[in-house]
Amino acid sequence: MAKQGVKLDWPTRYQQLLAASKQPLIQEFYESAICDLKIPICDVPLVALDFETTGLNFQNDDIVSVGLIPFNTKRIFCKDSQHWIVQPRRKLAEESIVIHGITHSEVSDAPDFSTIMEPLLTALKGKVIVVHFAPIERHFLYQALQARLGEGLEFAVIDTLDLETRALRAKQGLLGRLFNSKLDSVRLADSRIRYSLPAYQNHNALNDATATAELLQAQIAYHYRQDTPLSEFLI
């Protein structure tokens, strides 16, 4: 698994993963991966992805809902968004219900994650995945597929939390770094405020995916050129 904040040679890694993969669904994902890292960010097909889970421990907790929305640096394609509620293998904790609002009755009638694996990976194919705090989506998707297919999925991401941290450190300057000044919050809602983006209801997977897509558009508009190569964003 890729480590948070560490840049990999993703074209080479995808080739290695494809050669080792035994699952057609996962093979198709690797075959469709964007490997030209010089492509300008304005030409990259993007998809924002968000999970709600039973907790934050990916080894013990499970996915409750998935939201995704395709977009690029100029447009968000709302009509192609998708949202699924799935039945976790671990019972919902009361504290997680308070956070995401998904109830026991909703998940008891929901299908297992296995039923959405194909449409989910199809929606992600050929696009660069955008998230806010990469370890959640990376680890939970890997574990969910590993548990059902015997094989996990690794993927490059653009992490809006990582980009916001970089922007705040640049603003902080040398003296701020020297004296280890505390950075402002990089939570999704707090990051959006800095770009005058509207407030959404948090902890709904589709809302948060949309909020992440809008945040990346704003970050690029404020801090980057439209022809900045994809390599500058991926981790």
Side-chain angles (χ1 to χ4, degrees), residues 82-128:
Q82 298 190 67
H83 184 229
W84 297 279
I85 293 177
V86 293
Q87 187 170 146
R89 295 187 170 188
R90 177 179 175 174
K91 185 178 179 182
L92 282 175
E94 293 304 320
E95 55 267 29
S96 71
I97 295 174
V98 171
I99 292 171
H100 51 61
I102 298 171
T103 64
H104 292 290
S105 60
E106 286 179 284
V107 297
S108 66
D109 295 331
D112 183 73
F113 184 85
S114 59
T115 65
I116 72 161
M117 292 188 303
E118 184 170 357
L120 172 58
L121 291 185
T122 297
L124 300 179
K125 277 195 313 185
K127 298 179 178 67
V128 171

Side-chain angles (χ1 to χ4, degrees), residues 38-219:
K38 295 179 181 178
I39 185 172
I41 190 64
C42 61
D43 294 334
V44 178
L46 305 164
V47 59
L49 177 68
D50 187 79
F51 296 155
E52 295 302 322
T53 62
T54 59
L56 298 179
N57 185 334
F58 64 89
Q59 293 180 319
N60 296 317
D61 289 304
D62 207 354
I63 296 169
V64 178
S65 67
V66 178
L68 64 84
I69 189 162
F71 71 108
N72 57 37
T73 60
K74 297 296 185 184
R75 293 185 60 194
I76 295 176
F77 303 103
C78 296
K79 65 181 179 61
D80 296 320
S81 66
Q82 298 190 67
H83 184 229
W84 297 279
I85 293 177
V86 293
Q87 187 170 146
R89 295 187 170 188
R90 177 179 175 174
K91 185 178 179 182
L92 282 175
E94 293 304 320
E95 55 267 29
S96 71
I97 295 174
V98 171
I99 292 171
H100 51 61
I102 298 171
T103 64
H104 292 290
S105 60
E106 286 179 284
V107 297
S108 66
D109 295 331
D112 183 73
F113 184 85
S114 59
T115 65
I116 72 161
M117 292 188 303
E118 184 170 357
L120 172 58
L121 291 185
T122 297
L124 300 179
K125 277 195 313 185
K127 298 179 178 67
V128 171
I129 297 169
V130 180
V131 300
H132 193 79
F133 190 53
I136 294 293
E137 281 71 30
R138 273 183 166 159
H139 289 310
F140 274 91
L141 184 53
Y142 187 97
Q143 290 294 116
L145 293 172
Q146 178 72 40
R148 293 160 177 88
L149 294 176
E151 185 176 329
L153 184 79
E154 294 184 36
F155 52 92
V157 297
I158 296 174
D159 185 349
T160 52
L161 183 148
D162 175 68
L163 294 184
E164 195 63 14
T165 301
R166 287 194 231 170
L168 289 174
R169 282 180 178 154
K171 183 180 178 182
Q172 184 185 48
L174 180 60
L175 281 177
R177 291 193 293 274
L178 185 64
F179 290 101
N180 200 26
S181 299
K182 185 177 179 181
L183 293 178
D184 291 338
S185 169
V186 290
R187 293 171 67 91
L188 180 56
D190 295 328
S191 297
R192 286 173 58 84
I193 290 171
R194 282 189 282 274
Y195 302 93
S196 301
L197 294 169
Y200 290 157
Q201 178 187 349
N202 294 333
H203 301 299
N204 170 284
L206 183 53
N207 282 358
D208 284 351
T210 305
T212 299
E214 291 178 348
L215 176 58
L216 179 62
Q217 288 180 328
Q219 289 171 326

Side-chain angles (χ1 to χ4, degrees), residues 214-228:
E214 291 178 348
L215 176 58
L216 179 62
Q217 288 180 328
Q219 289 171 326
I220 291 171
Y222 273 72
H223 305 298
Y224 299 90
R225 292 165 51 108
Q226 288 287 322
D227 61 358
T228 303

